[in-house]
Amino acid sequence: MGVGFSRDGDVAVLTIDNPPVNAASHGVRAGLIEALARAEADPDIRAIVIACAGSTFVAGADVREFGQPPREPFLTEVCAAIEATPKPVVAALHGTALGGGFEIALAAHARVALATAQVGLPEVKLGLIPGAGGTQRLPRLTGMSAAVDIASSGRRVGMAEAQALGIVDRIVDVDLLAAAIDHARSMADAPPAGPSHMATGGQVGDCVPPPLTPPHKGEGDLTTAFPDKNGDDLRSKRLQAGSPPPCGEGSGVGVASNASAMPARRGRGGPKGRSGGSPSPYAIPHVAIRRAGGLAVQPFDADAVEAQIAAIERKARGQISPGRAARMVRQAADLPFAEGLARERAAFLDLLASDQAGALRHVFAAERLAGKVPGLDGVEPAPIRTVGVVGAGLMGAGIAACFADAGYAVRVVERDGAAMQAGRGRIVALYERQIQSGRIDRTTADTRLTRLSFGAERAGLADCDLVVEAVFDELAVKQELFAALSGIVRPDALLATNTSYLDPDAIASVVANPERVLGLHFFSPANVMRLVEVVRAAQTAPRALATGLAIAKRLGKLGIVSGVCEGFVGNRIFTAYRRACDFMLEDGALPHEIDAALEGWGFAMGPYAVNDLAGLDISWARRKRQAATRDPAERYVSIADRLCEAGRLGRKSGKGYYAYEDGRRTVDPIVTDIVEAASREKGIVRRSIPAEEIVGRVLATMADEGKKILDEGIALRASDIDLVLINGYGFPAWRGGPMYLAGHR
C-alpha cells in the first residue's frame, strides 16, 4: 500500500493505493514525494497524473494518525512539491476528494474528474481548518465568497458546481484515467507561459483549460451555466470578475467516448492507459500550466464578505473552526501566498490542540463505533424493497418521504380517504418546500413522488417487506394496529413502531412471530433529523436489528441501538433534563432565562423553545396517563399543566411558554405570573439563578441519567448517549456530549 508508479508513454501515472479510502497516511505522503522526484528526474517523462485505485480519490487524513506525533513529510510539503513540479501535474478525481485529498488536487496544475465525484474541506467538522493550503489556494480559483462558504461549511461540492467555480477543469462520464493523461499531455505540449510564479509571485499561464463536458443525463449541458443561490450564473460571474477565460472557449470542442468509466485499478503495476502514440478521443487544444498558488484573488466586495463571515460565526454558536476557516480564506487576498500558508498552518496546529477539536474527534470516533453492535457480526440484514407507512400526519409524512428519498417503494395507509388525501398533501408540500429552498429540483421531487402510493385499506400492505407505524401514541391504538398487521403481512415481514415512550414489548405481545418487531424511533421532522433510535425489544431477532441499522444507514441517518425503557435513551434523558429545568423555574429562573443560558452555551434551542415547537399537549397527555401511578412524595412541577389548561399549547396555538405574534418568539408576562404563582404556592423563595449554574445543573442531570441508562444496559456505550443528545436534541457537537464532558471534568 502506498503510491505506485507507471507510464503511459511520456506521462507518469502515480497511483495512490491505500484502502479503503486512500487516506493521506505517512506512506502515501512519502510515496508521493518519492514518485514526484522520480518523474521529475526522468527526461522522457513530460507530464504527471495523480490518480487513486479503488472507489475514491484521497478521502482525507488517516484517522489512525490522530493523536500521534506528526511524521515528515507533512502534507503541506507534499502539496508544495506537487505545485512546484516543473512538469504539468493533473489530478484525476473520482469518488470523494475531501480534506487533504482536495488539497492535493488543488496543488495540482489541473483537475479532471468523473461527473459523479465530489470535493470538499470538511476539517471544520473536526474542529480544525484546512492545514495544507486549502484556505489559500481555493479562493484563488473560485473567488472569495464561494471559498469562504466551502471552507467554513465543510459541505461537499458536486462537479457541476465545481466546474462553474473554476475548481475542476474537465468533467468526463467515462474513462477518467485516459482523459487525465491526455489533459496532462496537452499541457506538456503548450508553449511556455512565462517565468515561474514560484519565483516571481505572478501568475503562470493566462488561460483556463476548456470545460470539455458533454451534457450529463438529467443535468443538462454543464458547460453553459450553473446558478448560485441567487440564481446567477457562477461561470459568468467569474468571467465578469476578471477570472481568466477558458482556453478556446466557444470552440465547440467536446468529449465523445463509449468506453466504461474506470478509475485506476489496484495492483502493483498501477493504472493502465493507452500507448503514447495511439490517437486519443480526448485530444484538446494545448493548455498552459496553471498553479493556484500563483494566481491573484479576484476583486470582491469586502463588506459583503465581512457580513458573510459574521453570519457564519453567529451560526456556529460558539464553535470556533467555521469562523477561523472563513477568516483564513479572507486573508488570502491580503497576504503573500507563502505567508498565508504559514498562518494557515499555525492556525491549524493551534486548533488541533484545542478542547473543541478533541471533543469533535470523540464524536467522529463515536459514530464509527456506533454501528458495531455485539452479536451482529456476520448477520445479514433482510432485503427491504417495499415499505409501508401507517399514518401520514406530520411524523408519518416525514417518514414516508425519507424512504421515498432513499429509493424504496412506499405504501402510505391512512384511516380513511380524507386523512389519506391530507397525508398526501403534506408530503407534496414537503417536497414543494424543498424545491423552493433549492435543495432539490422539480424532476427529483417528481421522481420521489412516483415511489409513493396512497390508500385507506390496510390490505394494501400485504406484500410490504417492512411496515412502520406512525399512528397516535396510545398503547391500545398501536396494539390494535399490530394485531391486524400480523394477519395481513407475510410472516417474515418486519414491523416497526415509531413510539416515543410506549413499551415495544407490549406492542409486540399481540404479534405472531414477535421476533420481527423492533422500534424505529425517528425524530421530528423525520425527513430532516439525522437520528434514529433502533430499539431492540425483548424478542427482537438479530436479523431484525441488523436490518433496522442497515435501513437507517440507507436513509442517510445515524442509527443508535437502544434497549427498552420509557423514552428509550434520548427522551428519557430529555425528561430528566426538563425536570431539572422545571425545578429551576420554581426556584427562581424564568423560561427565557433558562433557554438563553443553554443557547448561549451552544444548544441549538433551549428546552422551552423546543417544547413550544413540538407542542405541549403531547407531554401533557403522557403526564395525565401517569398521574395515577405518580409517587406523591416526588417533587412535581405543575407549570406546564397550567399552561396547557390555559390553552397555551405552543407555536401551533400561538402561545405556550412564549407568545408568538407574527411568528416571533417573545417573552409573555402571563407566563411569568404563572411561574411565580407556582413558587408562591409551594412556599419557595425565588432567587436569581446565574447562567453558569443553569448549565451546570443541566449537564450534571444528563450525565447522571446517562449513567443509569448504561448501568441498566439500555445503551451499549457512553458515546452512543452523546450521539443521541447531539443528533436528536441540539447538544453542541463541539462540546462532545454530556458523557464525554463528565469524563473530562
Side-chain angles (χ1 to χ4, degrees), residues 646-668:
R648 305 181 69 99
L649 303 180
R651 281 182 177 267
K652 60 188 173 185
S653 66
K655 52 189 177 180
Y657 284 96
Y658 298 91
Y660 294 92
E661 295 180 9
D662 302 322
R664 293 181 298 107
R665 185 173 93 188
T666 57
V667 176
D668 192 332

Side-chain angles (χ1 to χ4, degrees), residues 75-76 103 123 128-135 341 344-346 348-349:
L75 191 59
T76 50
E103 290 178 298
E123 288 87 349
L128 306 171
I129 68 169
T135 66
L341 289 179
E344 176 197 73
R345 185 65 180 172
F348 171 83
L349 293 174

Side-chain angles (χ1 to χ4, degrees), residues 345-559:
R345 185 65 180 172
F348 171 83
L349 293 174
D350 178 53
L351 288 172
L352 185 64
S354 69
D355 291 342
Q356 291 193 9
L360 287 165
R361 285 195 295 272
H362 161 74
V363 174
F364 177 82
E367 290 195 7
R368 292 167 64 90
L369 189 60
K372 297 178 180 178
V373 178
L376 294 189
D377 289 345
V379 178
E380 287 294 322
I384 305 294
R385 299 178 182 85
T386 304
V387 177
V389 177
V390 183
L394 291 176
M395 179 62 80
I399 292 172
C402 285
F403 281 100
D405 294 353
Y408 293 97
V410 184
R411 311 264 176 83
V412 181
V413 171
E414 260 292 1
R415 62 183 180 275
D416 54 41
M420 178 194 72
Q421 290 301 328
R424 188 182 191 284
R426 289 187 192 95
I427 296 173
V428 170
L430 184 154
Y431 284 126
E432 287 296 329
R433 288 194 295 271
Q434 291 184 359
I435 292 169
Q436 292 169 11
S437 68
R439 291 181 59 195
I440 60 175
D441 58 24
R442 175 70 60 185
T443 300
T444 300
D446 290 344
T447 299
R448 292 175 178 179
L449 282 168
T450 63
R451 298 174 185 145
L452 290 148
S453 60
F454 299 84
E457 298 294 334
R458 294 172 178 174
L461 302 170
D463 63 345
C464 289
D465 304 304
L466 163 71
V467 178
V468 181
E469 66 79 14
V471 298
F472 191 66
D473 212 27
E474 287 278 4
L475 181 59
V477 173
K478 293 185 188 291
Q479 285 183 323
E480 185 279 326
L481 171 63
F482 270 60
L485 290 175
S486 183
I488 293 171
V489 300
R490 299 189 318 270
D492 64 337
L494 299 184
L495 299 176
T497 174
N498 181 55
T499 183
S500 300
Y501 288 97
L502 299 178
D503 182 356
D505 290 327
I507 296 171
S509 68
V510 301
V511 174
N513 305 326
E515 65 273 8
R516 56 179 167 157
V517 176
L518 72 158
L520 289 178
H521 180 215
F522 290 80
F523 286 71
S524 185
N527 60 304
V528 174
M529 296 294 285
R530 187 173 176 232
L531 178 66
V532 175
E533 286 180 311
V534 182
V535 183
R536 174 165 40 192
Q539 298 187 65
T540 301
R543 193 181 195 204
L545 188 66
T547 304
L549 290 168
I551 288 168
K553 184 175 182 179
R554 181 169 164 181
L555 296 180
K557 298 187 180 295
L558 177 64

Side-chain angles (χ1 to χ4, degrees), residues 3 42 99 281 294 586 678:
V3 180
D42 189 335
E586 286 189 334

